[in-house]
Amino acid sequence: MLAAVLLALPVIVVLLACWLLAGSRPVYHGEQVVAGLDAPARIVFDAQARPYVRAASVRDALFTQGFLHARERLWQMDLLRRAGSARLAELLGPDLLDSDIALWRAGVPAFAERLASGSSRQVVNWVVAYTAGVNAGMDSLKRRPPEYLLAGVVPEPWRPADSFALGAIMAFDSAGNHQREMLRHALAARLDAVHMAPFLTEHEPDPDFPYPWQPEDALISVAAFARAAAPKARPPGASIRFGSNGWVVAPQRAADGHALFAFDSHDALSLPNLFYEVHLFFANDRSVRGWSVPGLPGVINGFNEHRAWGFTNIGDTQDLVSLVPMPGAEGRFEDGRGGYQAVAEQRQFAVADGDPVTATRWVTPNGPVISDHPPLALRWVAQDLDGAGLDALLGINLAEQTSEFQDALAAFPAPAANITWADRDGHIGFRTIGRLPIRRRGTGLLPVADDGADIWDGHVPAAEMPQRNDPPEGFAAAANARVHDERWPFLVSNDNAPGWRMRRITRVLGASHRHDLDSMVALQNDHYNVQAERDGPRLLSLLDANGSISGDRRIEVVRRQIEAWLEAPVNRADSVAAVVFESWYLALVERLFRPVLGDTLYQELLAHNYLINHAVDRLLEDWTSLWWQGDAPALAARALADAVAGLEAQLGGGPADWRLDRRQSLTLEHALTEAAPVLAPLFNRGPFALGGGHATVGRAGFRYRQPFAVSQAATVRVVLEMGEPPRGRAVMPGGQSGHPLSHHYDDQLPAWLAGRTFDLYPSPETVTGSELWLRPE
């Protein structure tokens, strides 16, 4: 009897755990009486649990959104607010303490306070309503969400300040230029000027590069802070950093005569997904619809009854300032005109299962000191944005007239971004938004010296930012690539994505006057590799100049496959040539840079793909560079041999057995599984084999430090036809719910993997699904 009980005990424990977890799942029908709502609100859920809300006012709509966010994504919201207020260690323990201190020293919590104090009374009232909805949603749950049950903690009530903390971490994570400046600073300490040169130029020299806007006739220790402050130092779901593709098509290029909008946001992949889809209808057929970040009211990328918009990351809003410490006096520095004392600030950090830790930061006239060896201060536009709040974001959401929309774009403070938009009247456009500095010195690539004055001379006027309205080409696009040529007098960024995705998007859009939703979805999933199209022939020409590969049967076989593939280089999942090319490129990077940089600095470099891409492109055009070690053809041939040997070791067999999808995969991870791998079967999903790549429009991005382990791809794909009402489709990698036992935790994932989308409904009244009513007390 005892043996039977002991055998059954694990099963009983599992069943009990599932019962406890299942009790925390939200319900999608019935009624809830809630405090803080002015009038009843109706929520209809479609088959994917996407909510269509009918509320009496904007205020009640945002209350309802907060209610929904809390029921489905409370743990995610908690991580994000704690990142924005530098309080992750309080929940997750000492491993997150360095991250908290780095975010505090950088000024993220201080920026959150400025966003709160700078928001208008109306916006603050809306945030308060959203906050009341979040707390009502928390109260509606029968049990705490599973993460809290497993961690043994109770979630804190939501505060308005928490939503502003999300705005601050979004701005900081989307900036990130300080990380590349720190790396270049370390590279410059190791390299001579000749070796350094490829890392100081963004390589887009072609006169036909498709800029979305052009003027019309008109040392290693440094890396410690960068590692601690970086989004990847935090658990999955605790960062908000946008990459993206976005494009719009004018009616003359559309099959049905309506403007088309397409957007896919490229972010770090995790479960739950970064975005939560929501459709808010209120007042007299007003609407705010789209993809929200749980914890923020309104939507980031979305549409209303007048227009659609999407954000793509761009812009250098940070600079590092080299400081000269004065001996014998902590926090005192020499600026060329004499000495000055930085201001000391202290903060105590709570640490789960540990004692509180007190940290100090020194604040100079050019920002806080973020590194002592060497001493560097961080200058960030957020330090100048007193009077900025969340007004512009909600203004974009609610704008009716074009003038209101453009005013909201002009007022948008941070992060800097490109926005593509299309409206129901057939107009389309592109604009760079956010505050950008006017630099007195430097180009944003390396730290500048402290000369006693502000290194910036104000900000670029909003009216002079790059923008295009109704371009004659009939389309506009943005894909994190450079947005202007040398004729623009200011600088958006010298650290942009290579133009591969941008070239492919504009090429496809310009090839047809019959675009529709199907063609937009196809382009979002397009795996044509422009990087291979451009770099492949250059690499093959290096092989042609090397005689040592003749007679090597393996090299001859893969070379012929690459030659044939380059006629139409598509990173299909079953492609042999694609995986050989990608492996060859990675082996070349290692052959070029590791011998000179050494292991530690080389590993730091591998965290910055775009920096590598621009440097390699430049070297492929200059075989005489010292990086080629005197024999470019031989080095390229050795790299290909390395790639072939690696594939043999990893996949076995010969070239016929190598496929991209046998090497490249995606695993969607939950934040808890890093600390408790035993939970992975419950919370994680994957691995899933994938095609595509780092350079394709249908993104399958990975860090070169972890080849083929896809970590960044589309966190949402949406396509819209801007009729009355808008008609569209969308999909996310995961689902609406953050609960691992919910069907809606991962129900959209099969469609996302297959490149399919789900139809959007025009209104709550057209949705057939379960109903939940919220009624005021």
Side-chain angles (χ1 to χ4, degrees):
M1 181 67 177
L2 179 60
V5 171
L6 291 175
L7 286 172
L9 188 58
V11 176
I12 294 170
V13 170
V14 170
L15 291 174
L16 179 61
C18 289
W19 177 77
L20 285 169
L21 296 179
S24 60
R25 289 181 298 184
V27 296
Y28 299 100
H29 61 276
E31 292 189 2
Q32 294 275 348
V33 177
V34 293
L37 193 65
D38 291 337
R42 175 175 177 250
I43 311 167
V44 188
F45 296 93
D46 69 7
Q48 288 75 44
R50 301 179 297 186
Y52 290 73
V53 174
R54 177 67 70 182
S57 65
V58 174
R59 184 196 177 280
D60 278 3
L62 295 176
F63 175 99
T64 306
Q65 181 186 20
F67 180 91
L68 292 165
H69 278 171
R71 295 185 343 136
E72 298 284 20
R73 301 290 190 87
L74 188 58
W75 177 261
Q76 177 185 14
M77 297 166 65
D78 206 346
L79 294 182
L80 288 171
R81 69 170 165 180
R82 289 176 179 276
S85 54
R87 295 173 54 227
L88 283 166
E90 183 179 303
L91 178 68
L92 299 176
D95 287 349
L96 274 299
L97 180 60
D98 286 346
S99 178
D100 282 348
I101 293 173
L103 292 171
W104 171 66
R105 284 181 173 156
V108 176
F111 184 42
E113 293 173 4
R114 282 194 289 276
L115 288 176
S117 63
S119 293
S120 67
R121 182 182 298 274
Q122 182 182 58
V123 165
V124 170
N125 288 339
W126 285 340
V127 173
V128 169
Y130 172 85
T131 299
V134 171
N135 290 322
M138 293 171 61
D139 293 342
S140 74
L141 295 172
K142 294 179 181 179
R143 295 188 182 92
R144 284 172 281 165
E147 296 92 343
Y148 295 98
L149 289 171
L150 292 167
V153 296
V154 177
E156 299 175 356
W158 198 260
R159 306 170 303 150
D162 295 328
S163 291
F164 293 106
L166 262 76
I169 197 66
M170 179 172 68
F172 182 75
D173 284 351
S174 296
N177 179 257
H178 70 275
Q179 298 175 41
R180 291 180 291 277
E181 283 197 40
M182 282 185 161
L183 175 59
R184 286 192 176 93
H185 188 80
L187 290 170
R190 170 71 65 89
L191 302 174
D192 57 44
V194 175
H195 280 92
M196 189 66 194
F199 298 109
L200 296 176
T201 301
E202 184 178 320
H203 196 74
E204 295 292 357
D206 301 326
D208 67 340
F209 183 75
Y211 299 110
W213 177 87
Q214 295 180 0
E216 319 228 315
D217 292 337
L219 299 167
I220 306 306
S221 63
V222 179
F225 175 88
R227 282 195 295 267
K232 60 180 176 288
R234 291 169 247 146
S239 62
I240 313 174
R241 185 173 187 175
F242 303 124
S244 303
N245 298 320
W247 62 83
V248 286
V249 178
Q252 65 265 30
R253 285 192 176 272
D256 291 337
H258 296 293
L260 298 172
F261 170 88
F263 184 82
D264 53 299
S265 187
H266 301 164
D267 313 291
L269 295 168
S270 63
L271 284 173
N273 186 48
L274 172 60
F275 291 111
Y276 177 85
E277 185 177 326
V278 65
H279 302 268
L280 306 176
F281 295 79
F282 49 90
N284 296 319
D285 290 325
R286 296 296 317 282
S287 64
V288 172
R289 312 177 59 182
W291 294 269
S292 60
V293 171
L296 277 174
V299 302
I300 304 296
N301 308 295
F303 61 109
N304 58 28
E305 68 275 20
H306 299 285
R307 68 187 53 80
W309 62 90
F311 289 83
T312 61
N313 194 35
I314 198 74
D316 180 357
T317 61
Q318 297 176 334
D319 275 325
L320 295 180
V321 182
S322 295
L323 305 173
V324 179
M326 297 184 70
E330 189 176 11
R332 191 163 181 80
F333 301 95
E334 166 67 49
D335 64 8
R337 301 187 305 185
Y340 68 90
Q341 180 66 46
V343 177
E345 297 178 355
Q346 288 190 325
R347 174 173 159 176
Q348 188 177 81
F349 293 83
V351 182
D353 301 322
D355 295 328
V357 173
T358 299
T360 301
R361 77 169 188 163
W362 297 93
V363 182
T364 76
N366 276 307
V369 179
I370 61 170
S371 170
D372 295 324
H373 304 290
L376 296 168
L378 175 66
R379 187 76 171 91
W380 179 28
V381 293
Q383 297 155 4
D384 306 333
L385 295 179
D386 291 325
L390 293 182
D391 293 55
L393 178 60
L394 291 173
I396 291 169
N397 283 217
L398 294 165
E400 296 185 76
Q401 303 299 321
T402 300
S403 59
E404 295 174 320
F405 180 69
Q406 293 292 346
D407 287 347
L409 297 183
F412 191 83
N418 290 326
I419 194 163
T420 46
W421 58 271
D423 69 24
R424 68 181 185 185
D425 295 323
H427 300 297
I428 65 170
F430 153 90
R431 183 167 179 167
T432 302
I433 61 174
R435 296 292 179 265
L436 290 173
I438 300 174
R439 290 174 167 82
R440 290 176 46 240
R441 293 177 291 123
T443 58
L445 298 178
L446 285 165
V448 296
D450 180 6
D451 66 356
D454 194 332
I455 63 170
W456 295 345
D457 188 16
H459 301 136
V460 178
E464 297 185 39
M465 295 285 270
Q467 60 180 301
R468 299 190 81 187
N469 298 315
D470 295 325
E473 301 89 347
F475 58 83
N480 313 121
R482 180 174 285 274
V483 300
H484 62 82
D485 65 15
E486 70 282 354
R487 291 176 290 169
W488 196 54
F490 306 111
L491 173 68
V492 172
S493 176
N494 276 322
D495 262 328
N496 303 297
W500 305 318
R501 285 179 286 130
M502 188 68 178
R503 289 179 183 277
R504 179 61 176 171
I505 292 167
T506 56
R507 185 186 302 172
V508 172
L509 295 182
S512 175
H513 286 80
R514 301 290 297 171
H515 288 296
D516 57 16
L517 295 183
D518 287 339
S519 69
M520 298 294 94
V521 171
L523 182 52
Q524 288 179 333
N525 289 279
D526 184 277
H527 289 165
Y528 189 94
N529 190 333
V530 173
Q531 179 193 22
E533 175 188 83
R534 297 173 66 81
D535 288 349
R538 297 168 178 170
L539 288 170
L540 290 178
S541 67
L542 281 168
L543 288 189
D544 290 336
N546 182 279
S548 65
I549 65 168
S550 59
D552 189 324
R553 187 188 63 82
R554 301 170 310 162
I555 301 297
E556 291 175 352
V557 169
V558 298
R559 185 222 163 86
R560 287 195 299 270
Q561 289 177 321
I562 291 173
E563 284 180 330
W565 176 69
L566 286 176
E567 295 178 8
V570 178
N571 278 28
R572 293 189 312 273
D574 63 353
S575 174
V576 173
V579 74
V580 173
F581 173 82
E582 300 285 2
S583 300
W584 187 9
Y585 188 90
L586 292 167
L588 179 66
V589 167
E590 182 166 5
R591 284 278 183 178
L592 281 167
F593 300 126
R594 191 171 199 150
V596 177
L597 298 181
D599 289 347
T600 302
L601 190 51
Y602 176 69
Q603 289 299 320
E604 293 293 335
L605 178 64
L606 288 182
H608 299 271
N609 294 25
Y610 293 160
L611 190 60
I612 291 171
N613 297 150
H614 288 300
V616 171
D617 272 3
R618 185 170 178 183
L619 294 176
L620 286 173
E621 293 186 351
D622 180 12
W623 295 6
T624 66
S625 170
L626 296 179
W627 284 105
W628 290 108
Q629 303 164 38
D631 194 340
L635 192 148
R638 287 194 291 270
L640 182 54
D642 292 344
V644 169
L647 289 168
E648 284 182 332
Q650 294 146 4
L651 302 179
D657 303 300
W658 306 339
R659 294 165 44 122
L660 182 59
D661 58 5
R662 291 191 61 205
R663 187 77 176 91
Q664 183 165 276
S665 66
L666 163 67
T667 298
L668 294 167
E669 298 181 353
H670 187 282
L672 277 184
T673 61
E674 285 190 347
V678 69
L679 297 175
L682 177 63
F683 283 94
N684 293 354
R685 297 294 184 270
F688 304 103
L690 292 181
H694 178 68
T696 60
V697 177
R699 192 86 184 275
F702 55 83
R703 295 284 184 188
Y704 288 162
R705 187 183 289 173
Q706 296 177 294
F708 300 105
V710 175
S711 59
Q712 190 180 58
T715 46
V716 61
R717 299 187 191 109
V718 54
V719 294
L720 296 168
E721 181 183 87
M722 298 307 297
E724 295 188 42
R727 184 171 68 93
R729 309 176 195 160
V731 71
M732 300 190 304
Q736 289 285 93
S737 181
H739 198 298
L741 296 185
S742 168
H743 170 66
H744 302 297
Y745 184 67
D746 60 0
D747 58 331
Q748 296 187 46
L749 184 54
W752 183 87
L753 289 167
R756 295 186 286 107
T757 53
F758 299 101
D759 288 339
L760 304 178
Y761 293 89
S763 69
E765 290 71 28
T766 61
V767 181
T768 301
S770 58
E771 292 188 19
L772 177 65
W773 281 86
L774 302 186
R775 300 193 184 278
E777 284 185 340

